[in-house]
């Protein structure tokens, strides 16, 4: 995570936007006497929203945690897509 001030962002906007999108860097924009802003890529934002949705419901969270536990305990099986016909 990198913290920069508003003036630096304004003067180097394309470079910082490239860092965010190409390198998945999170940029914190500090502002004098104002609240700070965080800049992340749309892809990272979408991932965060999906995780919040999946883990935001108790039933989903329990199901995912149980599945994770089964996988870690070796209680999973795999099939090729051709076997499913």
């Amino acid at each position: 995570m990198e913290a920069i001030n508003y003036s630096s962002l304004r003067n180097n906007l394309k470079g910082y936007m490239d860092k965010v999108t190409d390198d998945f860097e999170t940029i914190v924009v500090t502002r004098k006497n104002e609240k700070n802003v965080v800049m992340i890529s749309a892809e990272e934002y979408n991932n965060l929203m999906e995780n919040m949705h999946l883990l935001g419901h108790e039933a989903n969270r329990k199901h995912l945690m149980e599945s994770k536990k089964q996988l870690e305990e070796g209680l999973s099986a795999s099939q090729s897509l051709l076997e499913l016909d």
Side-chain angles (χ1 to χ4, degrees):
M1 183 179 311
E2 184 175 346
I4 59 168
N5 63 35
Y6 173 80
S7 296
S8 181
L9 175 68
R10 186 181 58 237
N11 293 332
N12 302 292
L13 184 59
K14 183 188 180 325
Y16 286 117
M17 290 172 71
D18 289 344
K19 269 185 162 181
V20 166
T21 57
D22 298 342
D23 302 335
F24 293 98
E25 183 73 44
T26 300
I27 304 288
V28 176
V29 183
T30 59
R31 303 184 307 161
K32 201 177 226 181
N33 302 321
E34 298 287 338
K35 294 179 180 178
N36 296 340
V37 175
V38 176
M39 186 166 50
I40 61 174
S41 70
E43 184 177 355
E44 189 167 346
Y45 173 81
N46 290 334
N47 287 337
L48 287 170
M49 293 298 105
E50 181 179 6
N51 285 337
M52 283 177 47
H53 173 75
L54 291 174
L55 297 175
H57 302 289
E58 186 65 24
N60 281 349
R61 186 172 44 256
K62 284 181 180 178
H63 181 73
L64 288 169
M65 292 301 109
E66 179 59 29
S67 296
K68 180 180 181 244
K69 179 181 170 190
Q70 290 174 5
L71 183 62
E72 290 170 344
E73 293 174 356
L75 301 174
S76 62
S78 64
Q79 292 179 320
S80 74
L81 292 176
L82 296 175
E83 293 175 21
L84 296 177
D85 287 339

